[in-house]
Coordinates of all heavy atoms in Angstrom, one line a residue:
M26 N 86.5 108.4 37.0 CA 87.9 108.4 37.2 C 88.2 107.9 38.6 O 87.5 108.2 39.6 CB 88.5 109.8 37.0 CG 90.0 109.8 37.1 SD 90.6 111.4 36.7 CE 92.3 111.2 37.2
N27 N 89.3 107.2 38.8 CA 89.8 106.7 40.1 C 90.2 107.9 41.0 O 90.8 108.9 40.6 CB 91.0 105.8 39.8 CG 91.3 104.9 41.0 OD1 90.8 105.2 42.1 ND2 92.0 103.9 40.7
K28 N 89.9 107.8 42.3 CA 90.2 108.9 43.2 C 91.6 108.8 43.8 O 92.0 109.7 44.5 CB 89.1 108.8 44.3 CG 87.7 109.1 43.8 CD 86.9 109.7 44.8 CE 85.4 109.8 44.4 NZ 85.2 110.6 43.2
F29 N 92.3 107.7 43.6 CA 93.6 107.5 44.2 C 94.6 108.6 43.8 O 95.3 109.2 44.6 CB 94.2 106.1 43.9 CG 95.5 106.0 44.5 CD1 95.7 105.8 45.9 CD2 96.7 106.0 43.7 CE1 97.0 105.6 46.4 CE2 97.9 105.9 44.2 CZ 98.1 105.7 45.6
P30 N 94.7 109.0 42.5 CA 95.6 110.0 42.1 C 95.3 111.3 42.7 O 96.2 112.1 43.1 CB 95.5 110.1 40.6 CG 95.0 108.7 40.2 CD 94.1 108.3 41.3
W31 N 94.1 111.7 42.9 CA 93.7 112.9 43.6 C 94.1 112.9 45.0 O 94.6 113.9 45.6 CB 92.2 113.2 43.5 CG 91.8 113.6 42.1 CD1 91.2 112.8 41.2 CD2 92.0 114.8 41.4 NE1 91.0 113.5 40.0 CE2 91.5 114.7 40.1 CE3 92.6 116.0 41.8 CZ2 91.5 115.8 39.2 CZ3 92.6 117.1 40.9 CH2 92.1 117.0 39.7
L32 N 93.9 111.7 45.7 CA 94.3 111.6 47.1 C 95.8 111.7 47.2 O 96.4 112.3 48.1 CB 93.8 110.2 47.6 CG 94.0 109.9 49.1 CD1 93.3 110.9 49.9 CD2 93.6 108.5 49.4
A33 N 96.6 111.0 46.3 CA 98.0 111.1 46.3 C 98.5 112.6 46.1 O 99.4 113.0 46.8 CB 98.6 110.2 45.2
L34 N 97.9 113.3 45.2 CA 98.2 114.7 45.0 C 98.0 115.5 46.2 O 98.8 116.3 46.6 CB 97.5 115.2 43.8 CG 97.9 116.6 43.2 CD1 99.3 116.5 42.7 CD2 96.9 117.0 42.2
G35 N 96.8 115.3 46.9 CA 96.5 116.1 48.1 C 97.4 115.8 49.2 O 97.9 116.8 49.9
I36 N 97.7 114.6 49.5 CA 98.6 114.2 50.6 C 100.0 114.7 50.3 O 100.7 115.2 51.2 CB 98.6 112.7 50.8 CG1 97.3 112.2 51.4 CG2 99.8 112.3 51.7 CD1 97.1 110.8 51.5
S37 N 100.5 114.6 49.1 CA 101.8 115.1 48.7 C 101.9 116.6 48.8 O 103.0 117.1 49.2 CB 102.1 114.7 47.3 OG 102.2 113.3 47.3
L38 N 100.9 117.3 48.5 CA 100.9 118.8 48.7 C 101.0 119.2 50.1 O 101.7 120.1 50.5 CB 99.7 119.4 48.0 CG 99.7 119.5 46.5 CD1 98.3 120.0 46.0 CD2 100.8 120.4 46.0
L39 N 100.3 118.4 51.0 CA 100.4 118.6 52.4 C 101.8 118.4 52.9 O 102.4 119.1 53.7 CB 99.4 117.7 53.2 CG 99.4 117.9 54.7 CD1 99.0 119.2 55.1 CD2 98.5 116.8 55.3
F40 N 102.4 117.3 52.4 CA 103.8 117.0 52.8 C 104.8 118.0 52.3 O 105.7 118.4 53.0 CB 104.2 115.6 52.3 CG 103.8 114.4 53.1 CD1 103.0 114.6 54.2 CD2 104.1 113.2 52.8 CE1 102.6 113.5 55.0 CE2 103.7 112.1 53.5 CZ 102.9 112.3 54.6
A41 N 104.6 118.5 51.1 CA 105.4 119.6 50.6 C 105.3 120.8 51.4 O 106.3 121.5 51.7 CB 105.1 119.8 49.1
L42 N 104.1 121.2 51.8 CA 103.9 122.4 52.6 C 104.6 122.2 54.0 O 105.3 123.1 54.5 CB 102.4 122.6 52.8 CG 102.0 123.8 53.7 CD1 102.4 125.1 53.0 CD2 100.6 123.8 54.0
I43 N 104.5 121.0 54.6 CA 105.2 120.8 55.9 C 106.7 120.9 55.7 O 107.4 121.5 56.6 CB 104.8 119.4 56.5 CG1 103.3 119.4 56.9 CG2 105.6 119.0 57.6 CD1 102.7 118.1 57.2
I44 N 107.2 120.3 54.7 CA 108.7 120.3 54.5 C 109.2 121.7 54.2 O 110.2 122.2 54.8 CB 109.1 119.3 53.4 CG1 109.0 117.9 53.9 CG2 110.5 119.6 52.9 CD1 109.2 116.9 52.8
L45 N 108.5 122.4 53.4 CA 108.9 123.8 53.1 C 108.7 124.8 54.3 O 109.5 125.7 54.4 CB 108.2 124.3 51.9 CG 108.5 123.6 50.5 CD1 107.6 124.1 49.4 CD2 110.0 123.8 50.2
Q46 N 107.7 124.6 55.1 CA 107.4 125.5 56.2 C 108.4 125.3 57.3 O 108.7 126.2 58.1 CB 106.0 125.4 56.7 CG 105.0 126.0 55.7 CD 105.2 127.5 55.6 OE1 105.4 128.2 56.6 NE2 105.0 128.0 54.4
T47 N 108.9 124.1 57.5 CA 109.9 123.8 58.6 C 111.3 123.8 58.1 O 112.2 123.3 58.8 CB 109.6 122.4 59.2 OG1 109.7 121.4 58.1 CG2 108.2 122.4 59.8
D48 N 111.6 124.4 57.0 CA 112.9 124.5 56.4 C 113.5 123.1 56.2 O 114.7 122.9 56.4 CB 113.9 125.4 57.3 CG 113.6 126.8 57.2 OD1 113.0 127.2 56.1 OD2 113.9 127.6 58.1
G49 N 112.7 122.2 55.9 CA 113.2 120.8 55.6 C 113.9 120.6 54.3 O 114.6 119.7 54.1
H50 N 113.8 121.6 53.4 CA 114.5 121.5 52.2 C 115.9 122.0 52.2 O 116.7 121.9 51.3 CB 113.7 122.3 51.1 CG 113.6 123.8 51.4 ND1 112.7 124.2 52.4 CD2 114.2 124.8 50.8 CE1 112.8 125.5 52.4 NE2 113.7 125.9 51.5
V51 N 116.3 122.6 53.4 CA 117.7 123.1 53.5 C 118.5 122.0 54.1 O 118.2 121.5 55.2 CB 117.7 124.4 54.5 CG1 119.1 124.9 54.7 CG2 116.7 125.4 54.0
P52 N 119.6 121.7 53.4 CA 120.4 120.5 53.9 C 121.0 120.6 55.3 O 121.0 119.7 56.1 CB 121.6 120.5 52.9 CG 121.1 121.1 51.7 CD 120.1 122.2 52.2
G53 N 121.4 121.8 55.8 CA 122.0 121.9 57.1 C 121.0 122.4 58.1 O 121.4 122.7 59.2
S54 N 119.7 122.3 57.9 CA 118.7 122.8 58.8 C 118.7 121.9 60.1 O 118.6 120.7 60.0 CB 117.4 122.8 58.1 OG 116.3 123.1 59.0
T55 N 118.7 122.5 61.2 CA 118.5 121.8 62.5 C 117.2 122.0 63.1 O 116.8 121.3 64.0 CB 119.7 122.2 63.5 OG1 119.6 123.6 63.7 CG2 121.0 121.8 62.9
G56 N 116.5 123.1 62.7 CA 115.2 123.3 63.3 C 114.1 122.6 62.6 O 114.3 122.1 61.5
G57 N 112.9 122.5 63.2 CA 111.8 121.9 62.5 C 111.9 120.4 62.7 O 111.8 119.8 63.8
L58 N 111.9 119.7 61.6 CA 111.8 118.2 61.6 C 113.2 117.6 61.6 O 114.2 118.1 61.0 CB 111.1 117.7 60.3 CG 109.7 118.1 60.2 CD1 109.1 117.8 58.8 CD2 108.8 117.5 61.2
P59 N 113.4 116.4 62.2 CA 114.6 115.7 62.2 C 114.9 115.2 60.8 O 114.0 115.0 60.0 CB 114.4 114.5 63.1 CG 113.2 114.8 63.9 CD 112.4 115.8 63.1
L60 N 116.2 114.9 60.5 CA 116.6 114.5 59.2 C 115.9 113.2 58.7 O 115.4 113.1 57.6 CB 118.1 114.3 59.1 CG 118.7 113.8 57.8 CD1 118.4 114.8 56.7 CD2 120.1 113.4 58.0
L61 N 115.8 112.2 59.6 CA 115.1 111.0 59.2 C 113.6 111.2 58.9 O 113.1 110.6 58.0 CB 115.3 110.0 60.4 CG 114.8 108.5 60.1 CD1 115.5 108.0 58.9 CD2 115.0 107.7 61.3
M62 N 113.0 112.1 59.6 CA 111.6 112.3 59.3 C 111.4 113.0 57.9 O 110.5 112.7 57.2 CB 111.0 113.2 60.4 CG 109.5 113.6 60.1 SD 108.4 112.2 60.0 CE 108.2 111.8 61.7
R63 N 112.3 113.9 57.6 CA 112.3 114.6 56.3 C 112.5 113.6 55.2 O 111.9 113.6 54.2 CB 113.3 115.7 56.2 CG 113.0 116.9 57.1 CD 113.9 118.0 57.0 NE 115.2 117.7 57.7 CZ 116.3 118.3 57.6 NH1 116.4 119.3 56.7 NH2 117.3 118.0 58.3
L64 N 113.5 112.7 55.4 CA 113.8 111.6 54.4 C 112.6 110.7 54.2 O 112.2 110.3 53.1 CB 115.0 110.9 54.8 CG 116.3 111.7 54.6 CD1 117.5 110.9 55.2 CD2 116.6 112.0 53.1
L65 N 112.0 110.3 55.3 CA 110.8 109.4 55.3 C 109.7 110.0 54.6 O 109.0 109.4 53.7 CB 110.4 108.9 56.7 CG 111.1 107.7 57.2 CD1 110.8 107.5 58.7 CD2 110.7 106.5 56.5
M66 N 109.4 111.3 54.9 CA 108.3 112.0 54.2 C 108.6 112.1 52.7 O 107.7 111.9 51.9 CB 108.1 113.4 54.8 CG 107.5 113.4 56.2 SD 107.4 115.0 56.9 CE 106.1 115.7 55.9
S67 N 109.8 112.4 52.4 CA 110.1 112.6 51.0 C 110.0 111.3 50.2 O 109.5 111.2 49.1 CB 111.6 113.1 50.8 OG 111.7 114.4 51.3
E68 N 110.5 110.2 50.8 CA 110.4 108.9 50.2 C 109.0 108.4 50.0 O 108.6 107.9 49.0 CB 111.2 107.9 50.9 CG 111.2 106.5 50.3 CD 112.1 105.5 51.1 OE1 112.8 105.9 52.0 OE2 112.0 104.3 50.7
F69 N 108.2 108.6 51.1 CA 106.8 108.1 51.0 C 106.0 108.9 50.0 O 105.3 108.4 49.2 CB 106.1 108.3 52.4 CG 104.7 107.9 52.4 CD1 104.3 106.6 52.3 CD2 103.7 108.9 52.5 CE1 102.9 106.3 52.3 CE2 102.4 108.6 52.5 CZ 102.0 107.3 52.4
A70 N 106.2 110.2 50.0 CA 105.5 111.1 49.0 C 105.9 110.8 47.6 O 105.1 110.8 46.7 CB 105.7 112.5 49.3
F71 N 107.2 110.5 47.4 CA 107.7 110.1 46.1 C 107.0 108.9 45.6 O 106.5 108.8 44.4 CB 109.2 110.0 46.1 CG 109.8 109.4 44.8 CD1 109.9 110.2 43.7 CD2 110.2 108.1 44.7 CE1 110.4 109.7 42.5 CE2 110.7 107.5 43.6 CZ 110.8 108.3 42.5
L72 N 107.0 107.8 46.4 CA 106.4 106.6 46.0 C 104.9 106.7 45.8 O 104.3 106.1 44.9 CB 106.7 105.5 47.0 CG 108.2 105.1 47.1 CD1 108.3 104.1 48.3 CD2 108.6 104.5 45.8
L73 N 104.2 107.5 46.6 CA 102.8 107.8 46.5 C 102.5 108.5 45.2 O 101.5 108.1 44.5 CB 102.3 108.6 47.7 CG 100.9 108.8 47.9 CD1 100.2 107.5 48.2 CD2 100.6 109.8 48.9
N74 N 103.3 109.4 44.8 CA 103.1 110.1 43.5 C 103.4 109.2 42.3 O 102.7 109.3 41.3 CB 104.0 111.4 43.5 CG 103.4 112.5 44.2 OD1 102.2 112.9 44.0 ND2 104.1 113.1 45.2
I75 N 104.4 108.4 42.4 CA 104.7 107.5 41.3 C 103.5 106.5 41.1 O 103.0 106.2 40.0 CB 106.0 106.7 41.5 CG1 107.2 107.7 41.4 CG2 106.1 105.6 40.5 CD1 107.3 108.3 40.1
A76 N 102.9 106.0 42.2 CA 101.7 105.2 42.2 C 100.6 106.0 41.6 O 99.8 105.4 40.8 CB 101.4 104.6 43.5
G77 N 100.4 107.2 41.9 CA 99.4 108.1 41.4 C 99.5 108.2 39.9 O 98.5 108.2 39.2
V78 N 100.7 108.4 39.4 CA 101.0 108.5 38.0 C 100.6 107.3 37.3 O 99.9 107.3 36.2 CB 102.5 108.9 37.7 CG1 102.8 108.8 36.2 CG2 102.7 110.4 38.2
I79 N 101.0 106.1 37.8 CA 100.7 104.8 37.2 C 99.2 104.6 37.1 O 98.7 104.2 36.1 CB 101.5 103.7 37.9 CG1 103.0 103.8 37.7 CG2 100.9 102.3 37.5 CD1 103.8 102.9 38.6
V80 N 98.5 104.8 38.2 CA 97.1 104.6 38.2 C 96.4 105.6 37.2 O 95.5 105.2 36.5 CB 96.5 104.8 39.6 CG1 95.0 104.8 39.6 CG2 97.0 103.7 40.5
S81 N 96.8 106.8 37.2 CA 96.2 107.8 36.3 C 96.4 107.5 34.9 O 95.5 107.6 34.0 CB 96.7 109.2 36.7 OG 96.1 110.2 35.9
V82 N 97.6 107.0 34.5 CA 97.9 106.7 33.1 C 97.1 105.4 32.7 O 96.6 105.4 31.6 CB 99.5 106.4 32.9 CG1 99.8 105.7 31.6 CG2 100.2 107.7 33.0
R83 N 97.0 104.5 33.6 CA 96.2 103.3 33.3 C 94.7 103.7 33.1 O 94.0 103.1 32.2 CB 96.2 102.3 34.4 CG 97.5 101.5 34.4 CD 97.5 100.4 35.4 NE 98.7 99.6 35.3 CZ 99.0 98.6 36.2 NH1 98.1 98.3 37.1 NH2 100.1 98.0 36.0
E84 N 94.2 104.6 33.9 CA 92.8 105.1 33.7 C 92.7 105.8 32.3 O 91.7 105.7 31.6 CB 92.4 106.1 34.8 CG 92.1 105.4 36.1 CD 90.8 104.6 36.0 OE1 89.8 105.1 35.5 OE2 90.8 103.5 36.6
M85 N 93.7 106.6 32.0 CA 93.7 107.3 30.7 C 93.7 106.3 29.5 O 93.1 106.5 28.5 CB 94.8 108.3 30.5 CG 94.5 109.6 31.3 SD 95.6 110.9 30.8 CE 97.2 110.4 31.5
L86 N 94.5 105.3 29.6 CA 94.6 104.3 28.6 C 93.2 103.5 28.5 O 92.8 103.1 27.4 CB 95.7 103.3 28.8 CG 97.1 103.9 28.6 CD1 98.2 102.9 29.0 CD2 97.3 104.3 27.2
R87 N 92.6 103.3 29.6 CA 91.3 102.6 29.6 C 90.1 103.4 29.1 O 89.3 102.9 28.4 CB 91.1 102.1 31.0 CG 89.9 101.1 31.1 CD 89.7 100.5 32.5 NE 91.0 99.8 32.9 CZ 91.6 100.0 34.1 NH1 91.0 100.8 35.0 NH2 92.7 99.3 34.4
H88 N 90.1 104.6 29.6 CA 88.9 105.5 29.3 C 89.2 106.6 28.4 O 88.2 107.4 28.1 CB 88.3 106.0 30.6 CG 87.8 104.9 31.5 ND1 86.8 104.1 31.2 CD2 88.3 104.5 32.7 CE1 86.6 103.2 32.2 NE2 87.5 103.4 33.1
G89 N 90.4 106.9 28.0 CA 90.7 108.0 27.2 C 91.1 109.2 28.0 O 90.7 109.3 29.2
P90 N 92.0 110.1 27.5 CA 92.4 111.2 28.3 C 91.3 112.3 28.4 O 90.5 112.5 27.6 CB 93.6 111.7 27.4 CG 93.4 111.3 26.1 CD 92.6 110.0 26.2
S91 N 91.4 112.9 29.6 CA 90.5 114.0 29.9 C 91.4 115.1 30.5 O 92.6 114.8 30.9 CB 89.4 113.7 30.8 OG 89.9 113.3 32.1
F92 N 90.9 116.3 30.6 CA 91.7 117.4 31.2 C 92.1 117.1 32.6 O 93.2 117.3 33.1 CB 91.0 118.7 31.1 CG 91.7 119.9 31.7 CD1 92.8 120.4 31.1 CD2 91.3 120.4 32.9 CE1 93.5 121.4 31.6 CE2 92.1 121.4 33.5 CZ 93.1 121.9 32.9
A93 N 91.1 116.6 33.4 CA 91.4 116.3 34.8 C 92.4 115.2 35.0 O 93.3 115.3 35.8 CB 90.1 115.9 35.5
A94 N 92.4 114.2 34.1 CA 93.3 113.1 34.2 C 94.7 113.6 33.9 O 95.7 113.2 34.5 CB 92.9 111.9 33.3
I95 N 94.8 114.4 32.8 CA 96.1 114.9 32.4 C 96.7 115.9 33.5 O 97.9 115.8 33.8 CB 96.0 115.7 31.1 CG1 95.7 114.6 30.0 CG2 97.3 116.4 30.7 CD1 95.4 115.2 28.6
A96 N 95.8 116.7 34.1 CA 96.2 117.6 35.1 C 96.7 116.9 36.4 O 97.8 117.2 36.9 CB 95.1 118.5 35.5
V97 N 96.0 115.9 36.8 CA 96.4 115.1 38.0 C 97.7 114.3 37.7 O 98.6 114.2 38.6 CB 95.3 114.3 38.6 CG1 95.1 113.0 37.8 CG2 95.6 113.9 40.0
T98 N 97.8 113.8 36.5 CA 99.1 113.1 36.2 C 100.3 114.0 36.2 O 101.3 113.7 36.7 CB 98.9 112.4 34.8 OG1 97.8 111.5 34.8 CG2 100.1 111.6 34.4
T99 N 100.1 115.2 35.6 CA 101.2 116.1 35.6 C 101.6 116.6 37.0 O 102.7 116.7 37.3 CB 100.8 117.3 34.7 OG1 100.4 116.9 33.4 CG2 101.9 118.3 34.6
G100 N 100.5 116.8 37.8 CA 100.8 117.3 39.2 C 101.6 116.2 40.0 O 102.5 116.5 40.7
C101 N 101.1 115.0 39.8 CA 101.8 113.9 40.5 C 103.3 113.7 40.0 O 104.2 113.4 40.8 CB 101.0 112.6 40.4 SG 99.6 112.4 41.4
L102 N 103.4 113.8 38.7 CA 104.8 113.7 38.1 C 105.7 114.8 38.6 O 106.9 114.6 39.0 CB 104.7 113.7 36.6 CG 105.9 113.2 35.9 CD1 106.3 111.8 36.3 CD2 105.7 113.3 34.4
L103 N 105.2 116.0 38.7 CA 106.0 117.2 39.1 C 106.3 117.0 40.6 O 107.5 117.3 41.0 CB 105.3 118.5 38.9 CG 105.2 118.9 37.4 CD1 104.3 120.2 37.3 CD2 106.6 119.2 36.9
L104 N 105.4 116.6 41.4 CA 105.6 116.4 42.8 C 106.6 115.3 43.1 O 107.4 115.3 44.0 CB 104.3 116.3 43.6 CG 103.6 117.6 43.9 CD1 102.3 117.3 44.5 CD2 104.4 118.4 44.9
A105 N 106.5 114.2 42.3 CA 107.5 113.1 42.4 C 108.9 113.6 42.2 O 109.8 113.3 42.9 CB 107.1 112.0 41.5
G106 N 109.1 114.4 41.1 CA 110.4 115.0 40.9 C 110.8 115.9 42.0 O 112.0 115.9 42.4
F107 N 109.9 116.7 42.6 CA 110.2 117.6 43.7 C 110.7 116.8 44.9 O 111.7 117.1 45.5 CB 109.0 118.4 44.1 CG 109.1 119.2 45.3 CD1 109.9 120.3 45.4 CD2 108.5 118.7 46.5 CE1 110.0 121.0 46.6 CE2 108.6 119.4 47.7 CZ 109.4 120.6 47.7
F108 N 110.0 115.7 45.3 CA 110.4 115.0 46.4 C 111.7 114.2 46.2 O 112.4 114.0 47.1 CB 109.2 114.0 46.9 CG 108.2 114.8 47.6 CD1 106.9 114.9 47.0 CD2 108.4 115.4 48.8 CE1 105.9 115.6 47.7 CE2 107.4 116.1 49.5 CZ 106.1 116.2 48.9
F109 N 111.9 113.7 45.0 CA 113.2 113.1 44.7 C 114.3 114.0 44.8 O 115.3 113.7 45.4 CB 113.1 112.5 43.2 CG 114.4 111.8 42.9 CD1 114.6 110.5 43.3 CD2 115.3 112.4 42.0 CE1 115.7 109.8 43.0 CE2 116.5 111.7 41.7 CZ 116.7 110.4 42.2
Y110 N 114.1 115.3 44.3 CA 115.2 116.3 44.5 C 115.4 116.6 45.9 O 116.6 116.8 46.3 CB 114.7 117.5 43.7 CG 115.7 118.7 43.8 CD1 116.9 118.7 43.1 CD2 115.4 119.8 44.6 CE1 117.8 119.7 43.3 CE2 116.2 120.8 44.7 CZ 117.5 120.8 44.0 OH 118.3 121.9 44.2
I111 N 114.4 116.8 46.7 CA 114.5 117.1 48.1 C 115.3 116.0 48.8 O 116.2 116.3 49.6 CB 113.1 117.4 48.8 CG1 112.5 118.6 48.3 CG2 113.2 117.4 50.3 CD1 113.2 119.9 48.7
A112 N 114.9 114.8 48.6 CA 115.6 113.6 49.3 C 117.0 113.6 48.9 O 117.9 113.3 49.8 CB 114.9 112.3 48.9
I113 N 117.4 113.8 47.7 CA 118.8 113.8 47.3 C 119.6 115.0 47.9 O 120.7 114.8 48.3 CB 118.9 113.9 45.7 CG1 118.4 112.6 45.1 CG2 120.4 114.1 45.3 CD1 119.1 111.3 45.5
M114 N 118.9 116.2 47.9 CA 119.6 117.4 48.5 C 119.8 117.3 50.0 O 120.9 117.8 50.5 CB 118.8 118.6 48.2 CG 118.8 119.0 46.7 SD 120.5 119.2 46.0 CE 121.1 120.6 47.0
I115 N 119.0 116.7 50.7 CA 119.1 116.6 52.2 C 119.9 115.4 52.7 O 120.2 115.3 53.9 CB 117.8 116.8 53.0 CG1 116.9 115.6 52.7 CG2 117.1 118.1 52.6 CD1 115.6 115.7 53.5
W116 N 120.2 114.5 51.8 CA 120.9 113.3 52.2 C 122.3 113.7 52.7 O 123.0 114.4 51.9 CB 121.0 112.3 51.0 CG 121.6 111.0 51.4 CD1 122.8 110.6 51.3 CD2 120.8 109.9 51.9 NE1 122.9 109.3 51.8 CE2 121.7 108.9 52.2 CE3 119.5 109.7 52.3 CZ2 121.3 107.7 52.7 CZ3 119.1 108.5 52.8 CH2 120.0 107.5 53.0
P117 N 122.7 113.3 53.9 CA 124.0 113.7 54.4 C 125.1 113.0 53.6 O 125.1 111.8 53.4 CB 124.0 113.2 55.8 CG 122.9 112.2 55.9 CD 121.9 112.5 54.8
V118 N 126.1 113.7 53.2 CA 127.3 113.2 52.5 C 128.5 113.4 53.4 O 128.8 114.4 53.8 CB 127.5 114.0 51.2 CG1 128.7 113.5 50.4 CG2 126.3 113.9 50.3
R119 N 129.1 112.3 53.6 CA 130.4 112.3 54.4 C 131.6 112.1 53.4 O 131.6 111.3 52.6 CB 130.4 111.1 55.4 CG 129.2 111.0 56.3 CD 129.4 111.8 57.5 NE 128.3 111.6 58.5 CZ 127.7 112.5 59.1 NH1 128.1 113.8 58.9 NH2 126.7 112.3 59.9
G120 N 132.5 113.0 53.6 CA 133.6 112.9 52.7 C 134.9 113.1 53.2 O 135.6 113.4 53.9

């Protein structure tokens, strides 16, 4: 099995930990990371997870599904949704 989806999952878990520990998921948070850094981390992790899902699904289509492939695909898909939600929630809205 390709190692890229596992790498994407690991890096994304690290980014999620950093964002959650620095209150980066709170829209009005001023401590911890600047807004642009939180948005960049969320966008990069989202794209990384989507690429992990695509690579993992291609591997499953080529070699057949296995428990590890299904688990890493599900993990990348859930983290992609998490980072998309975080990016939308912290985006500043002027009204």
Side-chain angles (χ1 to χ4, degrees):
M26 183 174 171
N27 199 341
K28 299 208 185 299
F29 179 76
W31 289 103
L32 185 64
L34 190 64
I36 291 172
S37 297
L38 284 173
L39 180 65
F40 280 1
L42 180 67
I43 291 170
I44 287 175
L45 291 174
Q46 287 295 320
T47 58
D48 287 335
H50 61 288
V51 179
S54 175
T55 57
L58 295 172
L60 177 64
L61 186 58
M62 178 61 79
R63 291 184 282 167
L64 288 171
L65 272 170
M66 286 176 71
S67 296
E68 181 180 352
F69 177 72
F71 171 75
L72 293 174
L73 190 66
N74 279 305
I75 291 299
V78 167
I79 291 169
V80 169
S81 185
V82 166
R83 283 186 178 178
E84 284 288 319
M85 282 194 290
L86 290 175
R87 189 174 303 133
H88 299 292
S91 66
F92 178 75
I95 293 170
V97 75
T98 304
T99 305
C101 284
L102 193 59
L103 288 173
L104 278 172
F107 169 76
F108 283 113
F109 182 77
Y110 176 74
I111 291 294
I113 294 298
M114 289 304 297
I115 63 176
W116 189 264
V118 177
R119 306 269 187 228

